[in-house]
Amino acid sequence: MYKGLLDLHSVLRWVILLLLLIAIIRHFSALRSKRLVNATDRKIDLFLMVSAHITLLIGIYQWIVGGFGLKSIQNNGIKTVMENASLRFWAVEHTTGMLLAIIFITIGRGAIKRGSNTSAHNKAAWLFLLALIFILACVPWPFRVGIGRPLFPGMH
């Protein structure tokens, strides 16, 4: 079950990145054209938020039962985890960065849900851009030494 959820967690990263890019482009272009929030904006943002929250729940499960989060801290001690870049990434950095990204996505979705003018587009666009930056910084991309994971499950 853990491996299947890890694979789903990895695939959902691409769903979130795609929806984030679409949402950012839509919101910034709406700002330029002064277009009001429409049903498509709301649906894309909702799918983005739901995908992010599902990924968060899977990630929390992995952090608790997997060997890289809570168990790593329990087995090695927080001092050792914080001194080791790889252990620290999985136990603290990845988790914190992704949590912040999901908070930004949720607040941005709330702005679009409640608002219909360009200020809602502005708030969502910038929050989603911040979320994208955090996600890109905290994903274990294959080129990251010591923490890299394949782009897609099953690739090596």
Side-chain angles (χ1 to χ4, degrees), residues 3-125:
K3 172 76 168 104
L5 287 174
L6 180 62
D7 290 348
L8 179 59
H9 188 76
S10 296
V11 169
L12 283 172
R13 146 186 55 184
W14 296 107
V15 172
I16 292 168
L17 287 171
L18 177 64
L19 289 171
L20 254 179
L21 289 174
I22 292 168
I24 289 167
I25 291 167
R26 285 188 61 85
H27 291 304
F28 276 120
S29 67
L31 279 172
R32 265 184 279 136
S33 67
K34 299 191 185 329
R35 175 179 57 77
L36 297 178
V37 174
N38 61 32
T40 303
D41 295 323
R42 287 188 174 99
K43 285 179 187 171
I44 290 169
D45 294 359
L46 176 62
F47 293 146
L48 169 60
M49 187 182 73
V50 168
S51 299
H53 284 207
I54 290 169
T55 305
L56 171 65
L57 292 175
I58 294 169
I60 290 170
Y61 171 80
Q62 292 171 313
W63 192 84
I64 292 170
V65 304
F68 295 107
L70 180 62
K71 288 184 182 173
S72 177
I73 294 169
Q74 290 171 336
N75 293 338
N76 300 302
I78 191 69
K79 184 176 188 286
T80 301
V81 168
M82 295 305 285
E83 290 172 345
N84 181 299
S86 179
L87 295 176
R88 183 180 60 244
F89 175 80
W90 291 112
V92 179
E93 294 168 9
H94 177 72
T95 307
T96 304
M98 294 305 182
L99 184 59
L100 287 170
I102 292 167
I103 289 169
F104 293 143
I105 289 169
T106 303
I107 295 169
R109 161 66 178 137
I112 292 302
K113 183 179 177 184
R114 288 185 303 281
S116 62
N117 58 17
T118 54
S119 98
H121 281 299
N122 186 51
K123 187 173 186 179

